[in-house]
Amino acid sequence: MKELPPYADFLGLKMIGEGADRYLAMPNGDHVLGRPGFVHGGAIAGLMEIAGMVALYDALGDDRVKAKPVNVTVDFMRGGRLVETYARGTVKRVGNRIANIAIEAWQDDPAKPIAAARMTMALRREP
């Protein structure tokens, strides 16, 4: 697994689990505060984008492949309360040049996501 981007450090993200069971946790705090009592939507979207990248790199298992986001669409389903937030990506398809990933974010119950996202990543394979 490649290192997480600097934005992950700002959000305080932590990886939990291994392989397909791996997900990210984002602690609550002033650094992710949106309106009073709720997590900012940009912090949730950032968490989900990084969770998608982690899922893709875990699925590829090859550090020579470079990936760059092409498109990220986030559907916010309910307000994210100011508590610890989690996200997990699921790789739907990996081709030679493009990968498609689905991501969900939740707080107390994974069956009740607060947001869902679809992400397309461009892949560049180094020889």
Side-chain angles (χ1 to χ4, degrees), residues 39-117:
V39 178
H40 191 278
I44 295 170
L47 165 67
M48 297 177 82
E49 183 176 339
I50 294 169
M53 294 172 66
V54 167
L56 177 62
Y57 285 126
D58 281 350
L60 291 171
D62 184 352
D63 285 347
R64 294 175 299 164
V65 179
K66 308 286 185 209
K68 185 168 99 176
V70 174
N71 187 23
V72 181
T73 302
V74 179
D75 298 322
F76 294 98
M77 299 171 171
R78 54 180 58 103
R81 293 170 290 113
L82 198 57
V83 298
E84 193 164 48
T85 305
Y86 308 97
R88 174 181 294 148
T90 304
V91 177
K92 296 297 185 182
R93 181 180 182 277
V94 177
N96 286 330
R97 296 183 183 178
I98 296 290
N100 302 101
I101 302 114
I103 307 115
E104 284 192 341
W106 72 94
Q107 293 184 317
D108 300 325
D109 184 356
K112 295 180 179 176
I114 61 169

